């Protein structure tokens, strides 16, 4: 028997043929539909400075920053497109119509660049692309700006995407590690516009958490209560912004011990806790990242509160360690010291010394936040993980305890409890500002808040 070699999937069109007469009819008698005159992007005033900082790092070199390409979800259906964060940061363009586009910083003398945007403009009504192209046609996916409109939106010189292939080679952020690292590091400190967008994301996320608490009675009654919670939060995220900044974690009971539980297919039990880790992404693609662990009955049991209080104390210690000039890892170490001492006081650990507490904590206690939920991930360790905090950085502090249901080192009453408390903070000249402070954190405040939202 011969080996069967799989071949690439073949796209089959189910379109009916278009006669010349129909083609002429479809191409005629269309009214002009220009975009409104005032279409300047909100970020257009701040992107030139960002491009200037990048230009200064690579004098005389051609830099190519792609938006990214569409990815097939199933057969002829693509995943919803989101442009690469570096592209969005440098252009202000955040829409689903950016697939395949690229920003090029073209050397213009030894010490400066001209920014040129290569894009796919709207299809003219003189060919069949506007009604036959399922990926990019206007009648399939909506209107795109023409070149002149794109220039008004961005303040950039805009060129047809077909001309990109004629360019000489340059540094491509998709493949050049140094360029990708520099782009990440330039985004570590947020400008005032970015901080405002992140605060907006936090505010919408706060509203989403309130929606969830109000929806708990229906979620508890549904056989897939976790999915109900995910859907309620997702509605807020799509109504107020671009959607969720990452897959929502709606983890009931022992599912909270799975760090990235996104199946969200389980029921909810009023005797247990719900760990909700969720964030709204704004239309400008900045995301919040907040976690609250909620008693589904409205009240913490004594053992649930015991675990919650320890995690909250660890978070408070981590937040207290945030200030300009502190090492990035300091807040994690401060939080873990509290966790280790607490586990030793419970008799789970023989001593707080060493790293045995990691069996129950599993991961770090926070990360940078911005356009990506785990922002600036391509930054070099010297600039990020092993670096120091600076005013204007935004990060999360999120210690947790994950007491696995089958962990025989734990007393039975602790098994299957997972608690994480996560907040978003801005490094200031004096320390850190709690951006997500509108959501309660202490157990008493959580219980009172839940009671107020579910009354009646």
């Amino acid at each position: 028997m011969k080996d069967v070699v799989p071949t690439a999937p073949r796209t089959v069109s189910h379109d009916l043929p278009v006669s010349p007469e129909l083609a002429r009819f479809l191409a005629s008698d269309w009214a002009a539909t220009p975009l409104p005159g005032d279409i300047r992007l909100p970020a257009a005033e701040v992107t030139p400075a960002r491009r200037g900082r990048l230009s200064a790092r690579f004098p005389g070199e051609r830099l190519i920053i792609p938006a990214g390409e569409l990815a097939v979800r199933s057969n002829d259906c693509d995943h919803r497109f989101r442009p690469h964060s570096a592209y969005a940061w440098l252009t202000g363009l955040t829409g689903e119509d950016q697939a395949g586009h690229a920003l090029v910083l073209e050397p213009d003398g030894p010490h400066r660049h001209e920014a040129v945007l290569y894009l796919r403009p709207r299809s003219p009504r003189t060919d069949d692309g506007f009604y036959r192209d399922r990926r990019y046609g206007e009648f399939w996916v909506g209107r795109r700006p023409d070149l002149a409109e794109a220039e008004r939106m961005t303040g950039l010189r805009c060129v047809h995407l077909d001309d990109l292939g004629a360019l000489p080679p340059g540094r491509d952020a998709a493949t050049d590690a140094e360029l990708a690292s520099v782009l990440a590091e330039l985004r570590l400190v947020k400008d005032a516009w970015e901080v405002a967008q992140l605060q907006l994301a936090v505010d919408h996320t706060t509203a989403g958490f309130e929606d969830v608490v109000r929806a708990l009675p229906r979620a508890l009654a549904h056989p897939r209560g976790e999915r109900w919670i995910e859907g309620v939060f997702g509605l807020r995220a799509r109504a107020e912004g671009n959607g969720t900044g990452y897959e929502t974690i709606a983890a009931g009971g022992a599912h909270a011990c799975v760090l990235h539980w996104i199946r969200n297919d389980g029921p909810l039990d009023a005797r247990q806790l719900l760990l909700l880790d969720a964030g709204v992404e704004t239309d400008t693609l900045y995301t919040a990242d907040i976690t609250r662990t909620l008693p589904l009955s409205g009240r913490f049991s004594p053992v649930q509160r015991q675990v919650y209080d320890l995690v909250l104390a660890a978070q408070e210690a981590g937040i207290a360690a945030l200030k300009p000039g502190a090492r990035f890892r300091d807040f994690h170490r401060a939080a873990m010291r509290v966790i280790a001492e607490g586990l030793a006081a419970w008799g789970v650990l023989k001593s707080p010394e060493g790293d045995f507490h990691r069996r129950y904590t599993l991961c770090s206690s926070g990360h940078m936040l911005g356009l990506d939920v785990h922002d600036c991930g391509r930054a070099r360790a010297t600039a990020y993980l092993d670096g120091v905090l600076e005013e204007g950085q935004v990060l999360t502090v999120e210690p947790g305890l994950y007491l696995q249901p089958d962990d025989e080192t734990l007393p039975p009453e602790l098994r299957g409890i997972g608690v994480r408390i996560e907040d978003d903070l801005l490094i200031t000249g004096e320390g850190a500002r709690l951006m997500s402070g509108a959501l309660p954190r202490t157990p008493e405040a959580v219980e009172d808040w839940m009671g107020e939202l579910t009354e009646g």
Side-chain angles (χ1 to χ4, degrees):
M1 180 177 178
K2 294 176 66 175
D3 290 338
V4 177
V5 180
T7 58
R10 181 168 62 91
T11 300
V12 179
S13 174
H14 297 282
D15 289 348
L16 294 172
V18 176
S19 67
E21 294 79 13
L22 177 57
R24 286 193 294 270
F25 179 63
L26 286 167
S28 63
D29 298 314
W30 296 105
T33 56
L35 291 177
D38 183 18
I39 55 174
R40 188 81 162 177
L41 292 171
E45 303 308 313
V46 295
T47 51
R50 298 172 184 174
R51 295 191 294 268
R53 292 166 59 199
L54 178 61
S55 172
R57 299 290 292 270
F58 295 95
E61 297 191 68
R62 178 176 292 103
L63 308 178
I64 303 169
I65 300 90
E69 300 289 346
L70 289 168
V72 173
R73 184 183 185 278
S74 63
N75 189 28
D76 58 350
C77 297
D78 294 317
H79 286 281
R80 189 183 296 276
F81 181 76
R82 180 196 188 277
H84 191 279
S85 294
Y87 174 89
W89 187 70
L90 292 167
T91 66
L93 292 162
T94 60
E96 296 176 20
D97 59 347
Q98 296 303 305
H101 296 182
L103 174 70
V104 176
L105 296 189
E106 192 70 38
D108 185 15
H111 301 296
R112 63 186 302 269
H113 290 80
E114 180 194 15
V116 184
L117 186 62
Y118 288 80
L119 52 79
R120 182 184 298 100
R122 69 180 302 201
S123 302
R125 299 293 175 86
T126 54
D127 64 36
D128 64 359
F130 73 96
Y131 64 87
R132 299 204 76 180
D133 188 335
R134 292 170 177 258
R135 265 193 160 178
Y136 305 113
E138 183 176 341
F139 284 10
W140 288 92
V141 296
R143 192 194 190 291
R144 295 189 304 275
D146 61 27
L147 293 177
E149 290 168 335
E151 289 185 349
R152 297 206 326 266
M153 291 171 68
T154 63
L156 296 169
R157 182 162 71 89
C158 294
V159 178
H160 199 292
L161 185 61
D162 290 349
D163 296 337
L164 182 63
L167 283 181
R171 286 182 178 262
D172 190 320
T175 57
D176 188 293
E178 183 182 3
L179 177 55
S181 292
V182 169
L183 281 165
E185 290 162 17
L186 289 174
R187 295 196 288 113
L188 280 167
V189 175
K190 273 54 180 179
D191 57 39
W193 187 87
E194 291 179 289
V195 172
Q197 290 300 303
L198 283 164
Q199 186 63 62
L200 181 63
V202 167
D203 294 345
H204 289 322
T205 301
T206 297
F209 274 69
E210 293 171 348
D211 295 340
V212 164
V213 172
R214 293 188 186 98
L216 282 178
R218 295 193 69 178
L220 282 160
H222 196 278
R224 281 186 166 186
E226 292 177 342
R227 290 263 170 106
W228 194 276
I229 295 301
E230 178 186 356
V232 168
F233 188 86
L235 174 59
R236 174 68 66 171
R238 283 294 282 170
E240 305 289 1
N242 188 54
T244 55
Y246 53 95
E247 294 294 329
T248 296
I249 298 169
H255 289 166
C257 299
V258 180
L259 290 177
H260 286 173
W261 176 262
I262 60 172
R263 297 181 204 171
N264 300 340
D265 59 358
L268 299 178
D269 184 329
R271 297 167 296 179
Q272 297 177 336
L273 300 172
L274 168 71
L275 188 156
L276 177 62
D277 186 335
V280 173
E281 179 181 82
T282 64
D283 290 329
T284 57
L285 305 187
Y286 288 84
T287 187
D289 182 8
I290 299 174
T291 305
R292 288 293 183 269
T293 306
L294 309 174
L296 286 166
S297 68
R299 295 283 175 181
F300 291 97
S301 72
V303 70
Q304 290 168 351
R305 182 157 181 169
Q306 174 188 345
V307 178
Y308 190 96
D309 281 342
L310 179 54
V311 175
L312 179 60
Q315 192 200 32
E316 293 283 12
I319 290 173
L322 298 177
K323 60 182 179 181
R327 309 297 300 184
F328 173 80
R329 297 184 191 271
D330 286 352
F331 75 89
H332 171 66
R333 294 189 177 108
M336 291 302 99
R337 182 68 188 177
V338 171
I339 291 288
E341 290 174 351
L343 291 172
W346 294 351
V348 172
L349 294 178
K350 293 180 180 178
S351 165
E353 303 307 318
D355 60 357
F356 294 103
H357 64 277
R358 292 177 62 182
R359 178 181 178 117
Y360 313 101
T361 61
L362 302 178
C363 67
S364 183
S365 300
H367 52 81
M368 292 297 177
L369 185 67
L371 282 166
D372 296 326
V373 64
H374 299 136
D375 207 31
C376 310
R378 297 293 297 275
R380 289 165 291 195
T382 52
Y384 182 177
L385 297 177
D386 296 327
V388 298
L389 297 176
E390 297 182 50
E391 186 174 355
Q393 291 179 335
V394 177
L395 71 162
T396 71
V397 177
E398 53 168 324
L401 271 175
Y402 311 100
L403 309 177
Q404 303 297 332
D406 56 350
D407 189 340
E408 295 184 342
T409 70
L410 296 168
E413 66 271 16
L414 287 176
R415 296 175 194 172
I417 296 177
V419 173
R420 179 164 67 250
I421 309 169
E422 179 180 22
D423 284 277
D424 303 341
L425 296 108
L426 168 68
I427 303 299
T428 66
E430 295 74 36
R433 174 168 70 83
L434 187 62
M435 301 177 74
S436 48
L439 281 174
R441 293 188 297 133
T442 67
E444 300 86 357
V446 167
E447 290 175 345
D448 290 346
W449 172 72
M450 292 181 69
E452 291 168 3
L453 291 173
T454 55
E455 282 180 357

